[in-house]
Amino acid sequence: MDPQRRPVSGFVMLPFTAGVFEQDAVLLYCAVRFYIEHPELREELSTIVAQRRFERWDRALSLR
């Protein structure tokens, strides 16, 4: 196993930077933080529910 990837609670940590995503880095941070704090909602990630949640966050962030 790559020494930079250490299993955490059965998961493998994958290094990435927000720069590889087209979305605002703050929106990405909000999403990651939200799903870390609410693991029971992670199954919604492949649904329209998550898309609408991200759109609401994006609108709220654009007002800042």
Side-chain angles (χ1 to χ4, degrees), residues 42-60:
R42 290 179 191 163
E43 65 186 32
E44 77 180 24
L45 281 168
S46 63
T47 70
I48 192 78
V49 174
Q51 180 181 349
R52 289 183 180 152
R53 185 184 306 280
F54 295 164
E55 289 169 352
R56 284 193 310 272
W57 291 341
D58 192 36
R59 283 192 303 274

Side-chain angles (χ1 to χ4, degrees), residues 16-37:
F16 70 92
T17 62
V20 300
F21 295 94
E22 293 182 20
Q23 296 295 330
D24 183 1
V26 175
L27 179 60
L28 176 61
Y29 173 81
C30 290
V32 171
R33 178 80 186 244
F34 179 82
Y35 289 106
I36 287 172
E37 293 176 357

